[in-house]
Amino acid sequence: MSQASAATLEFVRQRRRAHRLPQQRSDRFTGLYTVGLYTAIGAWLGFQALRQSPTRGGSSTWLTGGGLARVATVALLLGLLAALRYATWQGPVVFSAPEVQFLLGAPLPRAELVRIRLARGLLFGAGVGAALGLVAFVLLEAELGVAAWPLLAAALLGPMALGVLAAALGWLVESSPATARAVLRASPVVLAVAAVAWLGGATAATVDPWSGPWGWAVGPLVAAAGGHEPGWPVQAVLLAVIVLAAVLAAWLRAGRITMEELERRAGTRAGLGASLLMGDPRGVALMRHEVVRGLFGVRRLRLRHPGHRWLAVPWRDALSLLRAPGRVGWALVLCGGSALTVAVAPGRRLLAAGAVVVAYLGAAQLIEPLRGEADQPDASRQLPWRWGDLLLLHTVTPILTLTAMGLAGTVTLALLGLLPGPALGMALAACLPAAVALVWSAAIAGQRGRLGLDRIMTASVMGELGGSMYLVRWFATGPMVALIALLIPILILQGAIGHPSSSTQAATNAASLLVTALAVQGAWLRSRQPPD
């Protein structure tokens, strides 16, 4: 960089500092102070609660026996995946629209301007990793009571290094559309690998710390917590080497991004801020969908037109899913992972509840056409159906798709030996009603439309506690309905495990409850009116 360019950049920095109001600095300090205070209070309360827990012995044995290696590896792998997916539409280096138009358009070295933001992104990644490591340290120290300083060093340095790696790789993804497409295509595979890493048992506990940077960051933590990981020095060296290589590669590629890409991300950033200010998470999801569609383009697929008017809506929904196969892929991964979890640990009630929620999220991926209908309810007045009937028609294609996934997954689990003969028939028979319960639960939440400013204002006038509960209820409605419809029948079937004489009665009771829940859901959906 020339001396003239360096002087110009320094002048720009000084002018920005001069125009920064004292109130902005005060607000920033107040926000950081509030976050730090509440974090310290929460960490202390959690530490004391775990220290006084009467079940520390069993948890300590499980953690040091391989549970910590599996949990930490999967958590860091999913965190890295989330950071890379975020980089496909935002990333560690994002300029505002005026900065793109005036600052980057000026005769200044673009690489130096990008490196300033990249350095901030690397520091932010290290800070996020340190925060996660601090939480892990508090939980592990309260549970295990091992030497504090080695555990603190391992808990901080490993996640910090992985956070820096995530930021560096995030810039490489951000600066290359081809790499962004590769990340999006590989995401379901990474989730499948994470499921194997979690469900692999003792073998996974040995292999996971060597599976990649996400595992190399875990090895020193396992050793400091009292687990058996003799190769942790090698893992620490490997992690340091790959972090340095990624940072160097990102630093050298600082100038290899087009103005068009920076301008597109700046526009997305402006829309993201507006959606968050208005309390509109669906707006955020739609913006991300537009970015993905821009990366892959629109798939020109055709389906034969139906011969009956009642099939027009399911036909349109099927065409929508064919043109967005990622939704079907995510539904398959989420629902398949849930079924696999229940099959591997059929007696764990907490895992069953989590599996229902994850399967609900998979079903929610398939009802995007219904949400689009709720976004513009006036368009439905041109159709010859009542709003409730239109909702039910929009659920036909998702139900059939999810049922086909369930049948294929059930047969796969049977071939793997995870479903015995009697359970196989019951699981095959339950695919359709379970799919209906999940899709209708997602439809109950999706037909309400967006969380608009009017509901935000309603929450604000209800007070701090009442408003928070109102918003939590808004977001938790769908998962809670799915839990009510499916978890009770699942618990009844789990109670009959090991008692063959009562399995028939348990299946009958579970089927009766599920049919009753489906009747209530269907009647409720059919009685709905278009949102305002």
Side-chain angles (χ1 to χ4, degrees):
M1 183 173 57
S2 64
Q3 293 183 355
S5 299
T8 305
L9 289 176
E10 183 61 29
F11 174 77
V12 171
R13 296 191 191 100
Q14 291 177 0
R15 297 306 300 170
R16 295 188 65 177
R17 293 194 193 101
H19 284 80
R20 189 173 298 162
L21 298 176
Q23 184 63 35
Q24 293 177 328
R25 301 190 187 98
S26 176
D27 292 343
R28 187 175 301 178
F29 173 78
T30 302
L32 293 175
Y33 172 77
T34 303
V35 171
L37 178 62
Y38 280 99
T39 301
I41 294 175
W44 175 256
L45 292 177
F47 182 85
Q48 293 298 326
L50 288 174
R51 270 299 177 98
Q52 297 174 8
S53 175
T55 60
R56 290 179 59 196
S59 300
S60 302
T61 303
W62 180 80
L63 286 171
T64 56
L68 176 60
R70 291 189 293 144
V71 171
T73 300
V74 172
L76 293 182
L77 175 58
L78 294 179
L80 181 61
L81 175 63
L84 296 184
R85 287 183 62 86
Y86 176 71
T88 60
W89 65 294
Q90 282 292 272
V93 178
V94 181
F95 294 89
S96 64
E99 289 172 337
V100 173
Q101 295 171 4
F102 297 102
L103 186 60
L104 294 177
L108 295 173
R110 186 186 306 172
E112 296 301 325
L113 295 173
V114 169
R115 282 168 183 165
I116 296 173
R117 300 296 178 91
L118 180 58
R120 295 177 187 174
L122 295 173
L123 290 176
F124 180 78
V128 172
L132 294 176
L134 184 61
V135 172
F137 165 73
V138 171
L139 297 177
L140 291 174
E141 180 61 26
E143 191 68 28
L144 302 175
V146 296
W149 289 112
L151 182 63
L152 178 61
L156 288 179
L157 294 179
M160 283 178 64
L162 194 69
V164 174
L165 177 64
L169 294 179
W171 168 248
L172 297 178
V173 172
E174 183 179 348
S175 59
S176 172
T179 307
R181 286 190 290 268
V183 168
L184 293 174
R185 289 193 177 101
S187 296
V189 179
V190 176
L191 286 178
V193 171
V196 173
W198 169 250
L199 300 172
T203 303
T206 304
V207 175
D208 287 354
W210 295 96
S211 57
W214 47 87
W216 301 339
V218 173
L221 180 62
V222 173
H228 180 70
E229 192 58 52
W232 70 266
V234 179
Q235 294 167 354
V237 172
L238 291 174
L239 180 61
V241 170
I242 196 171
V243 169
L244 290 176
V247 170
L248 181 60
W251 202 259
L252 294 177
R253 287 184 59 90
R256 299 183 184 179
I257 187 171
T258 62
M259 286 284 292
E260 292 78 11
E261 183 68 18
L262 290 173
E263 188 172 6
R264 182 177 64 84
R265 290 177 182 266
T268 304
R269 176 188 179 183
L272 176 62
S275 297
L276 293 178
L277 181 63
M278 298 293 292
D280 184 17
R282 173 152 172 75
V284 177
L286 288 177
M287 282 190 298
R288 182 191 166 278
H289 177 68
E290 289 296 325
V291 172
V292 173
R293 188 168 65 175
L295 287 172
F296 289 103
V298 179
R299 294 171 175 82
R300 298 295 182 183
L301 299 175
R302 296 182 181 273
L303 283 178
R304 185 176 181 182
H305 289 78
H308 196 283
R309 70 171 190 171
W310 289 96
L311 298 177
V313 174
W315 168 81
R316 190 181 69 176
D317 294 348
L319 190 61
S320 175
L321 290 179
L322 287 176
R323 290 179 176 176
R327 294 189 178 277
V328 180
W330 279 107
L332 179 61
V333 170
L334 294 173
C335 295
S338 301
L340 180 62
T341 301
V342 174
V344 171
R348 302 288 295 276
R349 297 182 178 180
L350 186 59
L351 282 181
V356 171
V357 174
V358 173
Y360 163 83
L361 296 177
Q365 295 288 325
L366 303 176
I367 65 161
E368 180 61 25
L370 186 147
R371 294 195 193 95
E373 202 81 67
D375 287 344
Q376 297 179 342
D378 292 340
S380 66
R381 296 193 176 104
Q382 303 177 14
L383 300 176
W385 298 293
R386 297 172 54 252
W387 179 254
D389 295 333
L390 186 61
L391 294 178
L392 293 177
L393 286 174
H394 272 299
T395 62
V396 172
T397 298
I399 288 172
L400 295 178
T401 304
L402 204 60
T403 302
M405 292 180 186
L407 294 174
T410 301
V411 173
T412 302
L413 293 176
L415 294 176
L416 294 175
L418 297 176
L419 281 178
L424 175 60
M426 189 181 304
L428 290 173
C431 286
L432 177 60
V436 175
L438 291 171
V439 172
W440 281 359
S441 299
I444 288 173
Q447 58 85 32
R448 300 172 299 181
R450 293 189 180 187
L451 179 65
L453 184 60
D454 54 342
R455 293 185 173 88
I456 297 294
M457 296 300 296
T458 301
S460 64
V461 300
M462 294 175 66
E464 184 175 352
L465 180 60
S468 300
M469 294 302 297
Y470 177 82
L471 295 177
V472 169
R473 181 180 64 83
W474 173 273
F475 291 109
T477 296
M480 290 302 299
V481 172
L483 285 172
I484 293 172
L486 289 175
L487 186 58
I488 297 177
I490 290 176
L491 294 179
I492 293 175
L493 295 176
Q494 285 182 338
I497 295 177
H499 304 85
S501 58
S502 61
S503 59
T504 303
Q505 182 63 32
T508 303
N509 295 337
S512 301
L513 290 175
L514 183 55
V515 169
T516 303
L518 293 180
V520 173
Q521 285 183 329
W524 195 89
L525 280 173
R526 197 171 187 275
S527 65
R528 293 299 88 196
Q529 298 297 324
D532 298 331

